[in-house]
Amino acid sequence: MKELIINADDFGLSRGANLGIIRAWQEGILTSASLMVGGLAFDEAVSLAKANPGLQVGLHLTLVQGRAVAKHPGFPTLIDREGNFTNDPVMAGMRYFFLKPLRKQLAEEIEAQIEKFLATGLPLSHIDGHLNIHMHPVVFDILLQLMPKYGITSFRLSRERFFDNIVLDRQRMLGKAADAFIFASLAKRCRPELEMRRVSFAGEVKGLLNSGCMTEPYLLKALERLQPGLSEIYFHPGCYPCDELKKWMPDYLHEGELAALTSQVVKEKLMSLGVTLRNYRGEKKAYA
């Protein structure tokens, strides 16, 4: 049996992201979304989620390329004078690992983001991270303490089979090899801790190695290679014009990903393969 979670990241980033996500839910195969509580369009995203209660929503933890929720005075600090995290994910990862004075601020920020989500009244279904920052060793260790406190029982364990991916798309092979190795190593560290705490996760996550390029032709091929059990595929659907999408992800094919999520051809492919759409709670979705 093959089950599939279809998730959209960056809910709340911008109006363009919000519109794309809601269209993918109402007209397509989307089953869940991940909310950026520090995003410019956070309030609109919350309103849209409440107006579409079947759409499951989790936390898209943001510790890079975004705005902090908590205040972090002093030096060193997580943020700049305007309250923004660094835009460089490599720099962020290095600082969070080597600057031990930042760990208390990280814990405070992560908890503040969880609490801001819960204050919306929306059920928090799962946790993942912007640029998969939730897999960072320091961040993950903090989450291990906070997930039981807040009843979070589903987690995106980000890793994707490299050789399976390049059969479908041979672009950016060196970059993909590095990403696949890094996240396989992180997942190897995370998995036993999640299993010990009975936190659920998908058997494989697609979208990591082709992030921003999950178009219909690629998706149709990827669906054929789903393994038995539960998988997740994540997307970044959006509608233009949108300055925020262009600013942060100028090379992403947001409208192409939305087209894939609402494609009748994709729906028919899923039906022919006998794939069941579901969310992290296990609630099934009929093909729209």
Side-chain angles (χ1 to χ4, degrees):
M1 184 176 180
K2 296 180 181 180
E3 295 185 307
L4 181 60
I5 295 167
I6 303 284
N7 193 81
D9 288 2
D10 300 344
F11 198 28
L13 173 68
S14 66
R15 181 166 177 77
N18 290 349
L19 290 175
I21 288 168
I22 292 302
R23 276 195 58 196
W25 161 252
Q26 293 178 342
E27 303 172 22
I29 60 174
L30 192 72
T31 65
S32 63
S34 299
L35 179 64
M36 302 178 81
V37 297
L40 293 177
F42 165 74
D43 290 333
E44 180 190 57
V46 171
S47 295
L48 288 168
K50 290 181 176 180
N52 293 270
L55 175 64
Q56 188 185 60
V57 183
L59 173 64
H60 199 49
L61 183 66
T62 304
L63 301 169
V64 62
Q65 294 183 359
R67 187 170 183 82
V69 169
K71 296 185 183 299
H72 302 287
F75 181 84
T77 180
L78 291 176
I79 53 177
D80 62 18
R81 292 180 179 178
E82 285 72 46
N84 298 311
F85 302 112
T86 178
N87 292 337
D88 185 340
V90 176
M91 178 63 70
M94 297 284 282
R95 292 182 78 235
Y96 299 162
F97 191 83
F98 289 108
L99 293 181
K100 291 187 178 180
L102 291 180
R103 295 186 180 185
K104 182 174 184 293
Q105 293 182 42
L106 275 172
E108 291 170 349
E109 177 63 28
I110 293 168
E111 189 159 21
Q113 291 192 26
I114 293 172
E115 290 183 343
K116 184 172 180 180
F117 184 107
L118 294 175
T120 67
L122 296 170
L124 201 170
S125 68
H126 65 277
I127 193 161
D128 55 43
H130 190 52
L131 302 183
N132 290 291
I133 194 67
H134 66 301
M135 298 279 286
H136 186 284
V138 174
V139 175
F140 179 73
D141 288 349
I142 294 168
L143 286 171
L144 286 180
Q145 304 304 312
L146 293 175
M147 286 193 292
K149 178 179 178 179
Y150 290 100
I152 301 169
T153 58
S154 298
F155 183 91
R156 176 186 289 165
L157 188 63
S158 307
R159 72 269 187 261
E160 184 173 358
R161 290 171 292 153
F162 169 67
F163 291 107
D164 191 70
N165 176 270
I166 62 170
V167 168
L168 306 180
D169 186 323
R170 300 181 68 83
Q171 297 183 65
R172 206 178 64 82
M173 288 182 63
L174 289 178
K176 287 181 178 181
D179 288 344
F181 174 77
I182 290 167
F183 283 98
S185 301
L186 292 173
K188 185 177 181 180
R189 177 181 184 272
C190 296
R191 183 168 187 154
E193 298 292 343
L194 296 172
E195 290 177 335
M196 186 186 307
R197 292 163 176 80
R198 297 184 179 180
V199 175
S200 65
F201 52 86
E204 184 182 16
V205 175
K206 294 183 181 294
L208 175 66
L209 303 183
N210 271 63
S211 188
C213 304
M214 304 293 288
T215 56
E216 182 185 287
Y218 179 82
L219 179 57
L220 289 170
K221 292 184 290 184
L223 290 174
E224 293 180 349
R225 305 184 75 86
L226 288 178
Q227 295 183 312
L230 178 63
S231 301
E232 178 186 350
I233 307 180
Y234 69 87
F235 294 78
H236 298 84
C239 297
Y240 298 132
C242 179
D243 292 340
E244 284 294 293
L245 291 179
K246 287 294 186 183
K247 173 185 175 182
W248 294 113
M249 295 162 278
D251 299 326
Y252 276 29
L253 305 176
H254 296 98
E255 290 188 326
E257 294 202 353
L258 174 58
L261 289 168
T262 56
S263 164
Q264 185 61 36
V265 176
V266 169
K267 295 172 189 175
E268 291 171 358
K269 185 72 170 180
L270 285 164
M271 286 188 283
S272 71
L273 293 171
V275 176
T276 300
L277 292 179
R278 54 161 283 190
N279 58 26
Y280 277 98
R281 293 192 204 99
E283 299 164 347
K284 295 178 172 58
K285 179 176 182 178
Y287 299 106

